[in-house]
Amino acid sequence: MRTSVPRPAGQAAAVRGRPRTRPVPPVLVALSRLPRPRLTGLGCGVLATVVMVGAAWLCEPMGGAPTLYGVLFIGACTAAALWVRPADLICAPVAAPIAFAVGLVTTLGPMAAVTELALRAPWLFGGTATAAGLALLRGIGVAVGRIRRRRRRAAAVRH
């Protein structure tokens, strides 16, 4: 007859062969409950354009507020790059500069928008680089996940 020996909490799982897991921080638990929108490429462009048109209308009474417009642009680029479907990742960095320009054209007109595009180029490049970087990181993550799944399947077939 076996008798069980009391063990400190956390050791029982390791003894039975199950890996011990760390407690998940409450912030990550709260973030995991948020919806995970998956936009198509078109939806990504529409989201960025709507946000930038709204940002242009918001900044217009403040004399254009280039810094606020730029910060809102980087936020729109981040949202677009994080919420687009993995199959449409290339659309985030493509839609970003188009949305930036459309937002400026709606409030300034075509001729003044060309000048403002030149003056706000650092914000334009920063937001586009943000969208491209996030899309690239997500793409690498998707590729690594595919490789791992293939290796697991191959290992399961061999055994």
Side-chain angles (χ1 to χ4, degrees), residues 109-126:
M111 295 307 290
V114 172
T115 304
E116 287 299 315
L117 279 171
L119 294 174
R120 299 179 190 192
W123 287 109
L124 179 61
F125 294 144

Side-chain angles (χ1 to χ4, degrees), residues 2 11-14 17 24 26 32 41-42 46 70 72 80 91-92 95 103-104 117 127 135 141 146 159:
R2 288 179 85 179
Q11 285 187 353
V24 179
S32 69
L42 179 62
V46 168
L72 292 173
C91 296
L104 289 177
L117 279 171
R146 284 183 189 149
H159 294 331

